[in-house]
Amino acid sequence: MYCRRVELLSKEKIAERYFRIGFECRDIARESRPGQFLMVRLLKPSWEFLLSRPFSLCMVDGSRIELLFEVVGKGTRSLSQAEEGAVLEIIGPLGNGFDLEATSTPILVGGGMG
C-alpha cells in the first residue's frame, strides 16, 4: 500500500453524472490487481474533501490509472469539477484483488462501476 500525491492528467465526462479521471503513479499501478480500490482525496481547501473517498480501479496501463465515478454528493461533485493539474492524494491499492489468469472459467458479475 502506498500514499502518493499525483497530478490529475485527464478528466472526461462520460454521461450526465459519470466521469473518468486519469493520473500516473508507477508504484500503485505496479501493485494493483482487478477487484482492488483506491482512497482518493482532492487536495484543495474544501470541506467536501476532508476525508478520502473509495474508488474502484477502472483501468491500469503501465503507470497510468483511470477511475470511473458517478456524481452522487458534494465530494464527487468537487472531483468532477477539478481541473487538469489538480493534486490528488491517493492511498492504495486496497482490498483483496484477484488474478484473472487463475481461472479457466470466466465469471461476469454485474452492478457497480469501476
Side-chain angles (χ1 to χ4, degrees), residues 18 35-36 55-59 66-70 111-114:
Y18 295 87
Q36 291 186 302
F55 293 93
S56 297
L57 293 164
C58 177
M59 188 277 303
E66 291 187 357
L67 307 175
L68 178 67
F69 67 94
E70 178 183 6
M113 70 176 75

Side-chain angles (χ1 to χ4, degrees), residues 28-40:
I28 292 176
R30 181 181 61 242
E31 301 294 326
S32 294
R33 301 289 175 260
Q36 291 186 302
F37 67 97
L38 304 176
M39 297 298 288
V40 178

